[in-house]
Amino acid sequence: MLELAASLPRLADNLPKEAGLTLADKRTLVNQAKVLIEQVYAHIYLKKALYAIDPVQRLSLLQYRLENPSDLVVNSELEFHRELLAIFTSLHDLHTNYVLPAPYNALTAVLPFLVEEYFDDQQQAHYLITKISSVATVTDSFKAGVELILWNGLPIQEAIRLNGEQSGGSNPAARYAVGLRSLTIRPLAINLPPLEHRIYLQYKTAEGSLHELALEWLVLKQMGGLATDLGLTASPDELLPLPQRPSDIYRDFLMGNQLEGDYINQARKKLFVEFRRPTRRNSTRRADSTEVKSLLPDINARAVNTPSGSFAYLRLFSFMVQDDQAFLEEIIRLLKLLPSNGLILDVRGNSGGLITAAERLLQIFTPQRIEPEKAQFISTSLIRELCIRNSPSPIAPQINLKAWVPSLKQAPVTGTLYSTAHAITTEEEANNIGQRYTGPVVLITDAHCYSATDMFAAGFRDHKIGKILGASDNTGAGGANVWQHLVLRVLAEAPGRAENNTLTKAFTELPRMADFRVSSRRMLRSGEQAGLPLEDFGVEPDERHYMTRTDLLNENQDLIHHAAKLLLTQARYPLTVKLDTNQCALQVSSEGIDRIDWYLDDRPAGSVEVRNNAVTLQLPKTSTERLLRLEGFAKDTKVATTQIKLKCNS
């Protein structure tokens, strides 16, 4: 039985056979891909060793094939895209992408339902339809809660595995997770169109009866959000515009995000929020949680009631923010409105974003000084000259690559493959706010945590902030600062001295709004893991949670209860203060703390032993505002800090 969509166009009716690429355009794309992989790509040595690949040689062969008029890549645009995508997929790096030209890069192939995985008591996987978009007209039996059995005649697990093998994920957990997530949403910016026009499903209802259904691939035309960022609202004959404002250039320079994950998240919002199918409201959310409205998108904050107690719950769907300071201030505001005795911090599905936003967030949850991850360039003549020219950058002074220059200059003599490593987020930025939440924290991750979110999870582990509960065996293992081809063009074309003309037209304009993204700086762990790469290895959880049917259909209830149990196993050092401005006295309440030191404007001001979890501090009266910082110790180990602005009545 064939069911058509109600309000979205069919992919088959909107898929061009050719996008208008000339042979010269194809040569330009391959030449630029070769420059990026050979001269910029930070993980090239790791990938060649780990996966036994030679992408540079494959690109050389593709250049050779383009000189043969009878070769399929010359005569078929789709075959050309297939070959170039395959080379990038072989890297197993979701940061490093070939972004197809218009009109492909503005299209996302979709099926109007969501498939999610859960496990039974024997840890056997099952796959539920959890959401159906209102754009689809389907049979009465196909609804949220039915279980998928076959996909185009294949067992559903095998279909997911095969789809994941085409994704280029960094580890088995990531590849399978991406295979599942992209099963029904496939951005054509970085994927070939589905081979089939329609898919055939076999599913089982709650009563156990088997049914079959055929659905056509539909298409979302992305003309906002990420598409706008890529310049896709312009004519496809135009070139991608270079960013003009220094602030935009600097933000793009600090990115660590997975493009496919961003596109899928955007499509999910469109299908299941904007095109929401009317359903009965979930009474469990009303009974078991109290939501606090966020002033920023992609943040969900609420108090949750569990058998282990009432705790704060914070879901961060993305680090794609415009302003990291505003992002942190909003997190702090929300935490003040939530229970202070424990936090469940959920970053599942977060594909990354602004690196400084992710790394600066760590300080809010720990009294320890944060050491940001350090980044390395590959040692090539192109990278050396790029860093020299942008030390600092004449077009965006916030960009300063000076620290990497000495090692890159010495590399031809020393033979080192990488530059020295230096932080992207400065130590001052990583510690200038300090701890704002003194309760225990549990971090929830999954294999969709990528890039900046991987860095956050690694920092959480390396600074021993709390336990990590994984809905997968690993995070996505994306450890790099990713730059668009446009960013490289901007940095290369910045006015300045050229040592040997290496940068002269190294990065040329790409045809029909095509683009590339590349891991330009690889990230290295800190703490006990200092110096180890994050890419491909990721962060393993302390405990694994196998998602249940109840989780999928009832607001992650079992997952949250599992995290709450972990909160009870962690040490608790709450530290709260109340200021009497008339007496200029500070009443301090604590738990597990035996000593408090305090500082006024970062200068030592006193120390006192704590008895019975409370102490009163008599402070010097001041009519001008000063910053008071308290540090709590347990057996000489700093376990909590807090700070307030002090101004007493005269």
Side-chain angles (χ1 to χ4, degrees):
M1 175 180 181
L2 179 64
E3 297 291 344
L4 299 179
S7 56
L8 282 184
R10 300 191 314 167
L11 178 64
D13 297 334
N14 288 268
L15 192 62
K17 293 183 179 179
E18 302 287 333
L21 285 184
T22 66
L23 180 58
D25 291 337
K26 293 176 182 178
R27 287 171 175 158
T28 296
L29 289 169
V30 178
N31 292 344
Q32 288 294 282
K34 190 174 179 182
V35 171
L36 291 174
I37 301 302
E38 191 171 28
Q39 295 288 322
V40 180
Y41 185 46
H43 301 311
I44 184 63
Y45 303 114
L46 171 66
K47 300 298 184 175
K48 288 176 72 173
L50 192 58
Y51 299 110
I53 59 172
D54 192 344
V56 175
Q57 177 62 16
R58 284 189 68 176
L59 288 165
S60 295
L61 290 174
L62 186 53
Q63 287 176 318
Y64 175 78
R65 292 178 63 188
L66 288 174
E67 300 305 317
N68 181 357
S70 63
D71 197 292
L72 195 56
V73 296
V74 174
N75 297 290
S76 168
E77 187 174 309
L78 198 59
E79 189 61 31
F80 171 79
H81 295 318
R82 188 188 312 278
E83 180 61 25
L84 195 49
L85 282 171
I87 293 171
F88 277 79
T89 299
S90 73
L91 299 171
H92 293 277
D93 183 352
L94 299 178
H95 274 141
T96 302
N97 315 109
Y98 165 45
V99 181
L100 273 66
Y104 293 105
N105 54 20
L107 303 176
T108 298
V110 299
L111 295 167
F113 58 89
L114 186 63
V115 184
E116 295 185 86
E117 181 183 52
Y118 83 90
F119 296 85
D120 59 27
D121 292 340
Q122 286 74 45
Q123 294 186 0
Q124 296 297 310
H126 300 264
Y127 298 88
L128 286 190
I129 304 297
T130 55
K131 291 184 175 67
I132 299 177
S133 175
S134 61
V135 303
T137 302
V138 293
T139 62
D140 291 339
S141 65
F142 190 75
K143 56 188 177 182
V146 303
E147 181 179 347
L148 274 186
I149 306 299
L150 297 179
W151 181 281
N152 280 346
L154 285 174
I156 182 63
Q157 278 187 296
E158 184 64 11
I160 294 168
R161 187 191 67 79
L162 290 174
N163 188 44
E165 288 302 314
Q166 302 175 41
S167 72
S170 295
N171 56 55
R175 286 193 285 278
Y176 194 82
V178 174
L180 174 58
R181 202 173 205 204
S182 64
L183 194 64
T184 59
I185 301 176
R186 300 184 190 175
L188 302 190
I190 53 176
N191 290 287
L192 288 174
L195 293 175
E196 69 279 1
H197 287 172
R198 63 179 64 100
I199 56 100
Y200 296 88
L201 306 176
Q202 184 184 84
Y203 61 93
K204 182 170 65 175
T205 66
E207 295 74 29
S209 59
L210 292 176
H211 298 264
E212 293 184 351
L213 179 68
L215 286 169
E216 296 240 29
W217 281 100
L218 314 174
V219 65
L220 281 173
K221 297 182 179 181
Q222 308 278 356
M223 297 308 293
L226 287 169
T228 301
D229 291 342
L230 289 171
L232 302 184
T233 55
S235 164
D237 294 320
E238 296 180 11
L239 301 165
L240 281 179
L242 289 173
Q244 299 297 320
R245 294 188 303 174
S247 59
D248 292 340
I249 297 169
Y250 183 60
R251 180 176 177 272
D252 291 343
F253 172 81
L254 295 175
M255 276 295 119
N257 66 302
Q258 182 208 348
L259 187 62
E260 183 174 34
D262 293 337
Y263 269 114
I264 289 175
N265 287 342
Q266 188 183 66
R268 280 187 171 190
K269 285 183 181 180
K270 179 70 82 173
L271 287 171
F272 306 117
V273 178
E274 295 180 34
F275 299 149
R276 189 191 302 273
R277 179 174 291 275
T279 57
R280 291 184 301 173
R281 296 187 62 185
N282 192 312
S283 60
T284 303
R285 166 67 72 87
R286 293 198 302 268
D288 291 350
S289 65
T290 304
E291 190 162 351
V292 178
K293 182 68 174 178
S294 172
L295 303 177
L296 294 177
D298 298 324
I299 300 176
N300 175 267
R302 65 187 197 264
V304 291
N305 298 317
T306 76
S308 302
S310 179
F311 301 105
Y313 176 86
L314 200 62
R315 181 81 183 266
L316 304 181
F317 290 96
S318 177
F319 286 114
M320 290 289 286
V321 297
Q322 294 292 329
D323 183 341
D324 56 355
Q325 184 64 32
F327 173 74
L328 296 175
E329 289 174 356
E330 174 63 2
I331 296 292
I332 293 169
R333 184 190 73 85
L334 292 170
L335 290 173
K336 289 179 179 178
L337 302 175
L338 295 170
S340 61
N341 61 324
L343 170 66
I344 300 168
L345 182 58
D346 190 346
V347 293
R348 287 174 301 137
N350 187 326
S351 56
L354 197 60
I355 291 173
T356 52
E359 291 200 303
R360 293 187 68 202
L361 180 60
L362 290 166
Q363 63 188 299
I364 291 174
F365 307 112
T366 177
Q368 308 304 322
R369 188 166 182 81
I370 297 297
E371 179 187 354
E373 288 193 352
K374 292 182 171 60
Q376 285 180 309
F377 284 107
I378 189 175
S379 294
T380 65
S381 58
L382 188 150
I383 287 293
R384 180 178 67 247
E385 192 165 338
L386 195 76
C387 289
I388 291 171
R389 186 169 290 194
N390 293 275
S391 299
S393 173
I395 55 172
Q398 289 174 289
I399 297 175
N400 192 343
L401 301 175
K402 184 177 181 179
W404 287 268
V405 170
S407 60
L408 290 168
K409 282 186 172 181
Q410 288 186 355
V413 177
T414 61
T416 54
L417 300 179
Y418 286 96
S419 70
T420 49
H422 305 277
I424 293 176
T425 305
T426 67
E427 284 212 29
E428 195 277 333
E429 290 174 322
N431 295 282
N432 62 356
I433 295 175
Q435 186 177 20
R436 296 302 180 90
Y437 191 85
T438 58
V441 184
V442 166
L443 179 67
I444 303 179
T445 63
D446 66 5
H448 298 297
C449 294
Y450 205 76
S451 201
T453 313
D454 250 314
M455 297 173 205
F456 178 81
F460 192 91
R461 162 65 53 72
D462 294 340
H463 292 89
K464 301 178 181 179
I465 294 174
K467 294 287 183 66
I468 299 179
L469 178 62
S472 305
D473 290 333
N474 207 326
T475 57
N481 174 205
V482 57
W483 291 349
Q484 276 183 265
H485 183 270
L486 285 173
V487 171
L488 286 159
R489 275 181 59 199
V490 169
L491 297 179
E493 295 175 11
R497 179 172 62 87
E499 282 193 335
N500 54 15
N501 294 321
T502 302
L503 291 183
T504 304
K505 295 185 178 179
F507 303 106
T508 59
E509 295 174 327
L510 301 178
R512 298 185 65 78
M513 293 186 292
D515 201 8
F516 292 104
R517 301 169 79 251
V518 62
S519 296
S520 298
R521 291 186 280 188
R522 72 170 190 169
M523 306 304 297
L524 304 179
R525 299 278 294 270
S526 60
E528 295 177 356
Q529 303 288 322
L532 295 180
L534 181 58
E535 178 73 16
D536 282 295
F537 299 100
V539 181
E540 296 181 1
D542 296 295
E543 288 191 18
R544 171 70 196 269
H545 177 81
Y546 292 90
M547 298 291 286
T548 67
R549 184 183 177 94
T550 299
D551 283 325
L552 299 192
L553 300 178
N554 200 10
E555 299 287 347
N556 303 302
Q557 178 178 290
D558 291 339
L559 174 66
I560 290 173
H561 289 179
H562 190 164
K565 290 180 181 178
L566 286 181
L567 282 174
L568 295 184
T569 68
Q570 296 181 193
R572 299 163 52 84
Y573 301 104
L575 184 63
T576 58
V577 298
K578 183 178 180 182
L579 177 65
D580 182 340
T581 56
N582 292 322
Q583 300 297 320
C584 211
L586 193 70
Q587 298 175 358
V588 183
S589 301
S590 64
E591 184 178 323
I593 293 173
D594 52 42
R595 188 185 95 225
I596 290 177
D597 296 347
W598 69 93
Y599 300 78
L600 284 172
D601 295 332
D602 286 329
R603 300 186 66 177
S607 179
V608 65
E609 300 295 323
V610 177
R611 301 282 191 272
N612 299 321
N613 294 329
V615 68
T616 299
L617 306 181
Q618 191 63 52
L619 304 172
K621 290 191 175 183
T622 175
S623 58
T624 59
E625 189 173 83
R626 303 178 69 182
L627 182 66
L628 173 67
R629 186 177 84 252
L630 304 182
E631 296 185 351
F633 292 80
K635 297 180 180 179
D636 295 324
T637 298
K638 185 164 62 174
V639 294
T641 67
T642 191
Q643 59 186 18
I644 64 169
K645 292 178 179 178
L646 174 67
K647 185 177 181 181
C648 299
N649 297 332
S650 56

